[in-house]
Amino acid sequence: MVAFLELLGLMDHHRVLEIGTGTGWTGGLLAQRLGDQNVTSVEIDPMVASIASENLKKAGHRPRLIVADGADGWPSGAPYDRVHVTCGVRDVPYAWVRQLRPGGRMVFPWMPGFAYGHRTWLTATADGRAIGRFAGNAGYMMLRSQRFGDYAPTVEEEGEQSETQVDPRAVAGTSYGCDVAIAGMVPGVASVEEEAGDGRIRLHLRDPDGSWLSPTFSPAVMLTRCPRLERGVCGRKWKPPICAGSPGAVQAVNVSE
């Protein structure tokens, strides 16, 4: 939380949109720093929002609290100087970019579903783009509209079976940049690593349509093989990366209208 707030680079005059009020803790910190009138926080769960409101009142703060789907932002209060996202996203809702001033900054946990998540910051440009960089690892609860119903298949027999000598942990736990490259080549593919219960390690890959892709087996390990990874292409239509250019720039974050 502190790392993300530091990435915001707040100044006294900034107006902030927070996606995901939660307990109200970060909203309270933002209100303490900028004043209640400069903080708008959106929470999708009415009960959670009610608890956050009480917590903030006890702390002496009354920022604007909105019960709505954070994926839509809050256009009535736009434009904002900063957008602070407290949940993980695979695809960045374009509403967040649209509601930022040119030069405004957005920080969020980018969690494409393959291996690690990343602390990410983007700066809005005057032509409607957002460009930025990664700033370290992050693991957060996903934005509700981007969650999967199940995080692993319930039936081992799903998919085609073949053998592999590659330990799934070598795939899921490889270099920091490898997961970004894989997420860019096959956007929407998610991975789940788990113990198989018999000494084997299992790595499942999920297609963007929600189906689980072919489990493969060996005496030592079991992993899920994605045909699209083998071809190095993805047939799914998707918007181009929002960021590109210099080394370290975000190359694979998708923006969805």
Side-chain angles (χ1 to χ4, degrees):
M1 179 195 67
V2 172
F4 277 105
L5 291 175
E6 289 177 340
L7 281 179
L8 275 179
L10 293 172
M11 297 183 181
D12 292 343
H13 66 283
H14 282 164
R15 300 176 66 251
V16 177
L17 171 65
E18 180 181 52
I19 307 299
T21 309
T23 64
W25 178 259
T26 54
L29 293 176
L30 290 169
Q32 177 69 27
R33 173 68 175 81
L34 302 170
D36 294 348
Q37 72 281 1
N38 286 328
V39 179
T40 299
S41 186
V42 181
E43 172 59 51
I44 194 171
D45 190 315
M47 182 175 294
V48 172
S50 176
I51 294 172
S53 177
E54 292 302 314
N55 290 340
L56 286 162
K57 289 176 183 177
K58 291 176 182 178
H61 290 294
R62 294 177 180 268
R64 177 187 294 171
L65 300 183
I66 306 295
V67 178
D69 188 349
D72 299 325
W74 187 248
S76 297
Y80 303 98
D81 300 287
R82 296 290 188 267
V83 173
H84 177 248
V85 183
T86 68
C87 52
V89 295
R90 283 187 301 275
D91 299 320
V92 179
Y94 191 65
W96 300 349
V97 180
R98 189 185 297 117
Q99 292 170 31
L100 269 174
R101 298 182 188 277
R105 178 178 294 189
M106 173 197 318
V107 301
F108 59 94
W110 181 54
M111 299 174 62
F114 190 90
Y116 308 108
H118 300 263
R119 292 198 304 274
T120 309
W121 61 266
L122 303 177
T123 300
T125 63
D127 59 0
R129 296 180 299 145
I131 300 174
R133 294 177 178 274
F134 298 124
N137 293 334
Y140 272 66
M141 180 185 299
M142 292 296 292
L143 182 72
R144 189 167 297 193
S145 60
Q146 295 188 18
R147 295 177 190 173
F148 290 129
D150 297 309
Y151 284 88
T154 56
V155 182
E156 282 194 7
E157 289 73 22
E158 291 181 8
E160 300 174 358
Q161 299 181 14
S162 61
E163 293 187 355
T164 177
Q165 297 301 314
V166 179
D167 191 313
R169 289 169 292 189
V171 178
T174 190
S175 68
Y176 182 75
C178 181
D179 58 323
V180 177
I182 291 174
M185 293 173 64
V186 281
V189 169
S191 66
V192 174
E193 181 182 331
E194 67 173 5
E195 297 282 348
D198 55 3
R200 296 179 299 174
I201 302 297
R202 180 183 299 147
L203 177 66
H204 303 284
L205 298 181
R206 181 197 289 267
D207 203 310
D209 67 5
S211 62
W212 288 99
L213 302 171
S214 37
T216 65
F217 302 82
S218 76
V221 300
M222 181 171 68
L223 65 85
T224 302
R225 176 176 55 83
C226 173
R228 298 187 307 152
L229 277 174
E230 294 174 359
R231 295 195 303 268
V233 297
C234 175
R236 172 173 170 255
K237 292 182 179 179
W238 61 296
K239 294 182 178 297
I242 55 177
C243 308
S246 60
V250 178
Q251 299 287 340
V253 182
N254 295 339
V255 175
S256 57
E257 299 256 14

